Amino acid sequence: MLRALAPGPAMAPGAPSSSPSPILAALLFSLVLPPAQAIVVYTDKEVHGAVGSRVTLYCSFWSSEWVSDDISFTWRYQPEGGRDAISIFHYAKGQPYIDEVGTFKERIQWVGDPHWKDGSIVIHNLDYSDNGTFTCDVKNPPDIVGKTSQVTLYVFEKVPTRYGVVLGAVIGGVIGVVLLLLALFYLARYCWLRRQEALQRRLSAMEKGKLHKAAKDSKRGRQTPVLYAMLDHSRSTKAASEKKSKGLGESRKDKK
């Protein structure tokens, strides 16, 4: 028997859950692919949770029809090693319903939103006995033909680190080291270029100083012979004048 389930409060941050990739996949699928007649349902392949924690089972879909008021979501559970699947949750006519006598009694919370093509649920207080396969089935009349999607739940004493997370961390670390080395390379190159520019300016200033000094020395060297010539001319003129004056004096003495 199923009973109506009032939507519970929003999940607190930090609770173990899978990523909302099925919802994003459904949205992308609806934007990229042309309309089809079969409804397509998406879930994660597997999710991990720790004993006593809670986990979100995401379910989304793509349909060629607009979201109908008669849309329905059904979740079924098949225990690990079991053969039969039992219905544990149902959503119809805008109302969520939960199994009153199943193993998930009082532990299921509806967190979906049909307008966003989301039929996700949360399972609280996980236990080892919850290991198994969960199936999400969606009907969006008149689009009711399509395959269901399954997600496998693994409950651990402590949630193991996923291989993808480790690989992503390693790749991120390598990329960070490469970016750091590139930054150091460009910084060193920038400092070297600045030093070369400063050295070039210093050499240019020294060359200008040498040229200026050489020009002064050259000008001074040209002026020196002229000065000597002027002095020689002055001396010769003075000597001639003295000789002339002396000759005139002797001539006057002779006349007397």
Side-chain angles (χ1 to χ4, degrees), residues 27-49:
L27 292 176
L28 292 175
F29 191 88
S30 62
L31 292 174
V32 176
L33 296 182
Q37 295 300 319
I39 192 170
V40 182
V41 182
Y42 300 93
T43 62
D44 292 310
K45 290 185 179 297
E46 65 180 49
V47 293
H48 299 163

Side-chain angles (χ1 to χ4, degrees), residues 214-227:
K216 283 186 176 180
D217 293 342
S218 177
K219 186 177 181 180
R220 187 179 301 170
R222 288 195 300 269
Q223 288 178 350
T224 300
V226 174
L227 290 175

